[in-house]
Structures are given as C-alpha cells and as structure tokens.
Amino acid sequence: MRRLLVPLLSLTLVLSSAGAAVAGGPSYARDTWRSLVAMTSPATGLVADNVSGDLSVKSPYTSPTNIGGYMWSAVVAHDLGLLSRPELVRRVSQTLDTLARLDHHDASGMFYNWYDPRDGSVITTFPDDGSTVTPFLSSVDNGWLAAGLRVVMGAIPQLRPEAGRILAAMNFGFYYNPSATTPSGTSGLIRGGFWDSEPPNTCSVPQNGVWFTCNHYDITVTEPRIATYLGIGTGQIPPSAYFATMRTLPDSCDYAWQEMRPQGFQATHLGVSVYEGSYTYRGIRFVPSWGGDMFEALMPDLFVPEAAWGPRSWGRNHPATVAAQIEHGLNDAGYGYWGFSPASNPFGGYAVYGVDAMGMDTNGYPSDVEGGRYDAGFGDCRPPGPPAVYGDGVVTPHAMFLALPYARRPVLDGLARLRKNFDAYGPGGFYDAVAVRSGTVAKRYLSLDQSMIMGALGRDVLRKSFVTPAFERAIRPLLAQETFNVPAGQPLPQLRGGDGR
C-alpha cells in the first residue's frame, strides 16, 4: 500500500494554502510523538491522559485507551524513523510488564477505566475533583487497549508472547448480550461495560458476578464497533452482531426525535433484517453516527481497512462523512475551518463537538462553543426548528488527520491554515482544539487525540500489524456483503467563503 504522507515526514513542510506555497516547521509526527514521550511515566511506561501545552504537567490518571494508543504510537514512531528498534522494544516492553501486573477483572481479562500512571494503582478517587470512583470496565476502552496489543503482536515479534498473553485473556464475549434488542427489532448487542462492585445511584444489572450497565451500543457508526470486530474476529461474539446494530432508527413517527427522517430500504444479512437508512445534509447522503463527530465515524478505520473491505458500505460512507464535515465548517456554518470531534474545550475542560445535523441524536454534538443546534424536522411527524445560528466554532486537528485518506488536499490545507492563522502549534505538535472565531486555543495535549494523529500518520503499519489472515476471514465478508443507502462518488465541497476570521 503506498504511503500518503511522505510530505509530512520531512523536516520541513511545503503545503498548498489557497494556491500559495506555505513553509511549515518540524514534522507533525515528530512533535506529536514528543508529546506522548512527555506524558509517559519513566517508572511504569504508562502514558498520562493529558499534559500541559509546555509538556511540563502530566495528569495523574490514565485509561486502557490511552495505554493502547501509546503502544501503537510507538510502533508508528519507529516506522517513521523517529524511534530506534531497541528503544521501541524497551518502551513497549516496559508498558507490557506493567500491564501484566495491573489489577484487572480476572474472569473477563478486562482492565479498569482509570489507573495512576505513576504506580499503576486503580483510581478510586478522581484527582481532578476528589469525587469517588467505583472502578468500571468499559467495552470500548478495552477495545482500544486490545487494538494496541494486536499492533504490538504484529509489529514487534520478540514481544508477541507477552502481548499475546494479555490479549488472550480478554474476552469481549463477556460484554455481549444476545437478548438485548434495538428499536428495529434486531437482537444481540454489546454492553457499555460493567462494575465488579455495585455502583451507587447508577442503573445497573447484576449478572455473572458483576453489575452491567443498563445501556448497550446499538448503532453502527460509532467507535464501539472496534470491540464488536475484536469479538467476532476471535469467535467470542457471533458474526450476526455486526448487523444487529442500527444504521439509522426506523422511518417512523415513533422515532421522530431523531435528527431527521431517514430514507432507506430493507435488506437481510446472515438472517438479520437490516434497515439500510441514511440522512441527507446539504445534498450529501451518509449513514450517521450518534453525535455527528469524526472520532465515532473514522477511528476504527485506522486499524480495519473498512473502505477497502466494504466498498459499497464504508467505502461510500467514510468519504461522505468527511465531505459533510467540510461542507458544514466551510460553507454552512462559515467558520472557514472544519474537523469536529470531542476534544478539549478551549475555554476549559472537555466537551463533545460534532456536526449536529450528522448525528442521530436530535440534541447531538454542536460544532461551536454556544451550542448551535440544527433541527431538520421529521416530515409530517415534526416540523423543522428555526434555522441554526453558529457562533465560535471549535475544530480539533485530530479530526482532520483521521480524514487523510478521503480528503488529503483539504486536510493538508486546513492544517497549514490552522497553524498559520492561530497560536495552534506548540512543542508537542498541534494543541488539542481551537475556537476559530475568537482565536482561543486549548493549549494542552490529550494522549488519545495525539495517538489518533500518530495512527493517521502511520495507518499502513497499523493495519498491517493489526490484521491477521484469520481476522480478515472473519470480518471482511461481513463488510463486503452490505450496501449502505449512500451513493458512490459524492464530491468534496468547495470553499465558498473567506477564512472564517
């Protein structure tokens, strides 16, 4: 597979911006990797959740997702010449040694959501606010840890036994509930997670010695599908689970609260009746995620070549998702920038961002600080709301990096303009988010977002390391047999306004 990113890996970037050559600075990959090194404890090899913009203050907590992201980022850093082979082995070996010692749930092999990266202890009091934490074991967070372990097994043969022992104990079938039913009538979903002690004041279902969440993941275009892929790929979850999740809710006034009325058709796969629904936003048709953000839609594609394996499903939907995000940022909201996904709030804390029109939730993720809302109505069931008013749009670089295979020139152009027009770049690469109308920047780095950037820059090595012949035999036929209600070849939008400043 040819590399898409050679220009990004040299010491100097020469990118096109509105037709003019713009000289950049150090390599995006090199600086992004520097931030992950700064976040990593030398005592344990565990990466912190986040670090300040000057790389000096690390958070005292981490998660399975962060740990998996650090390991796959190290593999990418080596592949790009930023890390020697001995240093790669040393770093990842230390992380695996610590993982093998961490407290976890023995029956499922799953890991808790929060650990102290300095000593690997399970967090029961959250450092940010002092609140009590009932240790939780998330299906999606463990999915990303397992993804990192699979990459290690494929990329570092001498560490394959150690990574394999941890991965072999992880049973994603523990999360699978065959009786869980969607509004479409399909059954067989994975749960959000479980606690191994009863959580106070929280909906839970006691079963198998744990307390499961009441919620299940029931839509297709969302990041928990990585856990479903892993479970199917190892035979822990039946293949029909891939078709049990909803492409959209049904076209019914009973579900008129969803963002817009879907259009679609019924199809049957592995005996499961699937409503192949989709939405249309400003002439672009796509299968929506829950919140309309890039992370839900595109993060699993870093590891599973979804567009290639499902040319009539993901091969249509991923480009359409990117096109609609660009259309929103450049033309509908008029920010002049695009790339919307959960990230740091430039005014403090963390927030979910997306394109509200692209999410199934009628109160979906906004693209701006003010929470501008889109309401298309629902035909005869619900009239449309007032036109959306968009304010200080928040873009996050990781969302653009995820889109690289589907809009290379708009991504490179957008990143170059973001760096040129704002104080958006620091010693660890792009800061986490920018409110583009006020120019306010979230000057910190999140290890998850930085590892998505590293993954996007090293997508080829991630896929080569993650995918085994057995995994491909289990997953590829599922993706290949489906046709989403999305036309092929929808063009990328053109910039019709100024630069949003």
Side-chain angles (χ1 to χ4, degrees), residues 269-293:
H269 305 288
L270 301 185
V272 180
S273 180
V274 178
Y275 176 59
E276 299 287 359
S278 59
Y279 287 178
T280 301
Y281 170 59
R282 293 176 66 88
I284 300 169
R285 181 162 289 279
F286 56 92
V287 179
S289 63
W290 179 249
D293 60 286

Side-chain angles (χ1 to χ4, degrees), residues 236-387:
Q236 298 165 348
I237 294 175
S240 59
Y242 176 72
F243 297 109
T245 55
M246 297 182 296
R247 281 58 185 158
T248 64
L249 286 156
D251 177 10
S252 166
C253 288
D254 292 340
Y255 307 106
W257 53 265
Q258 63 180 310
E259 192 64 77
M260 66 181 72
R261 190 160 207 156
Q263 299 177 25
F265 54 88
Q266 290 294 139
T268 300
H269 305 288
L270 301 185
V272 180
S273 180
V274 178
Y275 176 59
E276 299 287 359
S278 59
Y279 287 178
T280 301
Y281 170 59
R282 293 176 66 88
I284 300 169
R285 181 162 289 279
F286 56 92
V287 179
S289 63
W290 179 249
D293 60 286
M294 206 73 90
F295 165 69
E296 288 184 276
L298 291 178
M299 190 175 174
D301 187 58
L302 294 176
F303 303 90
V304 181
E306 293 175 314
W309 288 4
R312 297 186 307 276
S313 54
W314 300 107
R316 297 179 180 183
N317 206 59
H318 287 335
T321 295
V322 173
Q325 280 241 346
I326 294 172
E327 173 65 22
H328 177 76
L330 300 189
N331 300 319
D332 187 10
Y335 301 136
Y337 301 87
W338 62 279
F340 309 98
S341 195
S344 298
N345 183 338
F347 295 92
Y350 185 85
V352 291
Y353 300 103
V355 178
D356 184 24
M358 295 177 64
M360 289 170 65
D361 182 9
T362 193
N363 294 315
Y365 302 168
S367 62
D368 60 358
V369 174
E370 294 82 359
R373 298 295 183 187
Y374 176 96
D375 185 358
F378 205 84
D380 296 334
C381 307
R382 189 189 79 230

